[in-house]
Amino acid sequence: MMSDNQVVVFVTYQGDADSWFDREYYLAKHMPLVQSAWGPYGLESAVAFFPPAVEAGTIVVAELRFRDEAAMEAAYKAPITPEVYCDTPKYTDIAPIRSRAYIF
């Protein structure tokens, strides 16, 4: 059953060299907000990866590791979650793309 396995949510931002993305804000403010908001619900780690050069394609990939599916669902339903999502316009105008994976 997948609910016993760790869940990884990948949040990617696709754009090009002209896309607005405030990397400093994202790392200094948004990622700590994500960790503090969802850590109590089972978020075990949140890290961001940036490609070496900004070209057309992926600007950043965030990897959010949750203890299990129940932890991820609890985090997304938490009262603080709207604050996490409403923070996005402070660092980009690009819509995030979320995908989920399971670690066995």
Side-chain angles (χ1 to χ4, degrees):
M1 177 176 228
M2 286 196 198
S3 63
D4 294 336
N5 296 306
Q6 191 176 45
V7 175
V8 178
V9 176
F10 295 101
V11 183
T12 59
Y13 295 86
Q14 301 291 317
D16 58 34
D18 295 325
S19 298
W20 174 64
F21 192 94
D22 186 339
R23 184 186 290 201
E24 289 180 28
Y25 182 93
Y26 185 74
L27 293 173
K29 304 286 186 182
H30 185 71
M31 291 301 281
L33 171 63
V34 168
Q35 186 65 54
S36 67
W38 293 340
Y41 297 94
L43 176 67
E44 296 180 337
S45 68
V47 295
F49 303 94
F50 295 89
V54 178
E55 301 171 354
T58 303
I59 294 174
V60 63
V61 176
E63 178 191 274
L64 311 177
R65 287 183 180 245
F66 290 91
R67 179 179 59 245
D68 53 28
E69 183 134 6
M72 181 198 66
E73 294 294 333
Y76 285 168
K77 293 177 183 175
I80 197 167
T81 295
E83 183 179 337
V84 174
Y85 291 151
C86 288
D87 194 50
T88 303
K90 295 178 182 175
Y91 61 86
T92 191
D93 55 3
I94 302 167
I97 301 166
R98 293 175 188 86
S99 57
R100 182 184 321 181
Y102 297 92
I103 298 177
F104 295 92

